[in-house]
Amino acid sequence: MKYLEDFKVGQVFEFRSAPLTKQQIMGFAQEWDPQRLHTDEAYAEAIHGGLVASGFQTLLIVFEPIMRNLMVDVANIGGIGFNQLRWQRPLRPEEPLNIRIEVQSLVPSRSKPDRGVLIYTLEARNLAGELVMSVETPVMIQRRKEGLK
């Protein structure tokens, strides 16, 4: 298990998302974000040059490998939110994303010494290196018991 003290400012983690099919994009959109740019290929072609995923689906696809490969072994108390979430380019069918996380700060809680906040920035880029999504994410994480005074 990794605790707050196991992370270092400047530490980098890298992942790759799974690509989405047209059917996955359209299915998600039908249920959660039924805008034409996600459900109607002809309309999306005229507006965006082709079908594009919902930003919400992009967010989920980006965080899936992080949750499965990093956070599953972290003494995570919970996310606090998202700061400066931006979707700079649309995610297209069959396009995996390269995901890079960099730890920005580690702040032990003053009021609850058993925990602290890790803040990381995340960038997701397509295979051409173009920025698709970025966000700053604060996460509350337990501290090691021996680190408490």
Side-chain angles (χ1 to χ4, degrees):
M1 188 64 59
K2 291 181 184 167
Y3 295 88
L4 187 69
E5 294 82 1
D6 296 317
F7 293 92
K8 305 290 181 242
V9 172
Q11 191 172 15
V12 172
F13 300 91
E14 296 181 330
F15 307 94
R16 179 171 280 179
S17 73
L20 295 170
T21 64
K22 284 183 181 183
Q23 293 77 20
Q24 287 173 310
I25 290 171
M26 292 167 75
F28 180 92
Q30 289 295 338
E31 187 168 356
W32 300 104
D33 190 359
Q35 297 180 71
R36 290 177 60 202
L37 61 152
H38 309 311
T39 61
D40 181 333
E41 286 189 71
Y43 179 79
E45 180 70 35
I47 301 297
H48 287 289
L51 193 67
V52 298
S54 164
F56 300 109
Q57 188 176 24
T58 302
L59 183 69
L60 292 169
I61 288 300
V62 165
F63 273 88
E64 188 271 339
I66 296 165
M67 295 303 115
R68 291 196 188 279
N69 298 304
L70 175 64
M71 297 308 284
V72 72
D73 292 325
V74 172
N76 183 6
I77 295 171
I80 298 174
F82 295 117
N83 301 328
Q84 302 172 5
L85 173 61
R86 298 290 182 266
W87 292 296
Q88 285 91 345
R89 302 184 66 78
L91 177 61
R92 300 190 180 278
E94 305 305 331
E95 184 175 61
L97 295 174
N98 291 319
I99 303 156
R100 182 179 189 274
I101 291 174
E102 184 173 345
V103 176
Q104 298 298 314
S105 68
L106 302 160
V107 182
S109 173
R110 289 185 191 143
S111 61
K112 296 182 179 179
D114 66 329
R115 63 193 68 187
V117 176
L118 179 151
I119 297 176
Y120 64 85
T121 54
L122 178 153
E123 290 185 343
R125 296 179 181 272
N126 61 24
L127 297 183
E130 300 165 319
L131 189 59
V132 172
M133 190 193 101
S134 63
V135 65
E136 179 185 87
T137 306
V139 180
M140 191 166 300
I141 298 176
Q142 293 177 0
R143 295 181 67 199
R144 289 191 180 282
K145 298 215 184 307
E146 61 269 16
L148 303 178
K149 305 235 187 268

